[in-house]
Amino acid sequence: MKVLSALLVAGFAAAALSSAAHAQSKIVFKASDVHPTGYPTVEAVERMGKKLSAATNGRITIQMFPSMQLGGEKEAIEQAQVGAIQIARVSVGPVGTIVDDLNVFNLPFVFRDIAHMRAVIDGPIGDDLLKQIGDNPKTGLVGLAWMDGGARSFYNKVRDVRKVEDLKGLKIRMMGNPIFVDTMNALGGNGVAMGMDQVMNALQTGVVDGAENNAPSYDSFGHVPVAKHYSLTEHLIIPELLVFSRKSFDALSKDDQALVLKFGKETQLEQRKLWDERVEASMQKIKAAGIEVITISDKKPFQDAVKPVWDKYGAKYAALVKRIQDTK
Ligand code: GTR
């Protein structure tokens, strides 16, 4: 009996020891996204997790917290900054308040179209801005990759928007960045800044009349049945970002850092493929739900209306804007 219990004790100790050693070597990156499982951004990060796991025999994995389980994007950025999570997939919108130059992407109509935006994020401007995130110790973040967020367009519960005047007086939810509130106000509506975690409630209670987003988000956040007037104003083309906690990054070995950078960057094109498919599928779903997707053939009046935003912010980013415009 004594022997048995001695063996058992030894057995437990050995098990405890080996699991401690095991636990020490295992690394789990917590990742946050406002989007649900299956959404292109979430899927791309999960694939990054599979690659990390395959390259390290399961030593490094990613645990995904989708669907705003950990809050909105402001929270995700803060959690990554303190190292509570490692990976945040967020829009450039809220990150512009931390890395000022990124705000150039938050200016209305800064890109000619999606292809132009892609050429910019895939080229030297994209590389420079991504690097700036990591180079500035104040951000608490390392930039891994850009992702595609398509073009954002208005939807609301009140009326069809075909011309700028139709936006007059509408309370529209914008992302948390003064540029967006100014943009909405310049277009004649009232911009109301809030995180995505509050938008459904705000739409249902009438705190806002509408919001603006790409088709996949309009669809997957469940806003289609609530706000049925959707007009393709495409006033903002904002790339998305994959960032890593600087604090957690610095605690990794050089080899692990290299893996994070490599597989992180690979999400950029992986997500894009998934994105294009998703845009098409969402558009079809939206139309099948009986929504008239209004196209705006002449965007000039919308572009003219946001001139005050450019007057206020444009000069500061003039050099970068020129580089963007010169990008073919
Ligand atoms: C989506 C984007 C999210 C977030 C969201 C929002 O298009 O993918 O990162 O920015 O819009 O409006 O809050």
Side-chain angles (χ1 to χ4, degrees), residues 34-35 73 89 91 152 173 175 196 213-214 217 240:
V34 294
H35 293 299
E73 299 200 332
R89 202 292 311 156
S91 168
R152 299 174 74 98
R173 176 270 174 171
M175 282 190 284
M196 186 47 88
N213 225 312
N214 49 57
S217 291
E240 322 226 307

Side-chain angles (χ1 to χ4, degrees), residues 95-110:
V95 189
T97 60
I98 302 170
V99 185
D100 191 48
D101 270 354
L102 286 185
N103 272 327
V104 76
F105 290 167
N106 292 329
L107 290 166
F109 300 108
V110 70

Side-chain angles (χ1 to χ4, degrees), residues 26-255:
K26 285 233 171 198
I27 301 177
V28 180
F29 295 147
K30 294 193 175 75
S32 177
D33 198 314
V34 294
H35 293 299
T37 304
Y39 199 89
T41 52
V42 176
E43 178 64 26
V45 172
E46 283 179 339
R47 289 185 187 183
M48 172 185 172
K50 290 198 185 105
K51 289 185 194 171
L52 281 169
S53 177
T56 62
N57 289 320
R59 184 174 52 83
I60 302 182
T61 51
I62 289 182
Q63 182 183 13
M64 171 59 72
F65 293 87
S67 302
M68 298 184 270
Q69 282 173 26
L70 303 179
E73 299 200 332
K74 187 168 173 283
E75 289 76 23
I77 293 164
E78 287 164 5
Q79 288 155 4
Q81 285 172 323
V82 298
I85 65 169
Q86 285 63 52
I87 298 173
R89 202 292 311 156
V90 291
S91 168
V92 165
V95 189
T97 60
I98 302 170
V99 185
D100 191 48
D101 270 354
L102 286 185
N103 272 327
V104 76
F105 290 167
N106 292 329
L107 290 166
F109 300 108
V110 70
F111 296 112
R112 291 187 292 274
D113 49 28
I114 305 282
H116 182 208
M117 178 271 286
R118 289 178 176 178
V120 170
I121 58 174
D122 290 347
I125 304 174
D127 291 346
D128 289 355
L129 290 177
L130 209 55
K131 191 163 171 295
Q132 255 194 54
I133 300 172
D135 285 352
N136 180 349
K138 282 205 213 118
T139 66
L141 302 169
V142 177
L144 298 185
W146 301 102
M147 291 191 187
D148 205 313
R152 299 174 74 98
S153 295
F154 292 111
Y155 51 87
N156 79 90
K157 316 205 287 192
V158 182
R159 57 177 169 262
D160 285 352
V161 171
R162 294 178 193 277
K163 36 188 198 334
V164 181
E165 295 74 48
D166 297 329
L167 287 166
K168 199 164 175 51
L170 292 181
K171 290 172 284 177
I172 302 289
R173 176 270 174 171
M174 304 298 283
M175 282 190 284
N177 186 318
I179 296 184
F180 304 137
V181 174
D182 287 339
T183 297
M184 192 60 236
N185 295 351
L187 288 163
N190 300 309
V192 183
M194 66 179 77
M196 186 47 88
D197 47 326
Q198 297 164 41
V199 181
M200 189 55 152
N201 201 302
L203 277 170
Q204 282 167 337
T205 56
V207 168
V208 295
D209 301 311
E212 40 87 64
N213 225 312
N214 49 57
S217 291
Y218 175 39
D219 166 38
S220 81
F221 285 122
H223 298 167
V224 176
V226 190
K228 297 185 172 170
H229 305 271
Y230 191 39
S231 303
L232 300 183
T233 46
E234 301 181 328
H235 52 279
L236 287 166
I237 295 180
I238 308 181
E240 322 226 307
L241 269 171
L242 191 66
V243 292
F244 202 89
S245 162
R246 161 60 69 192
K247 198 165 170 224
S248 305
F249 190 82
D250 288 348
L252 295 173
S253 70
K254 286 272 168 281
D255 287 350

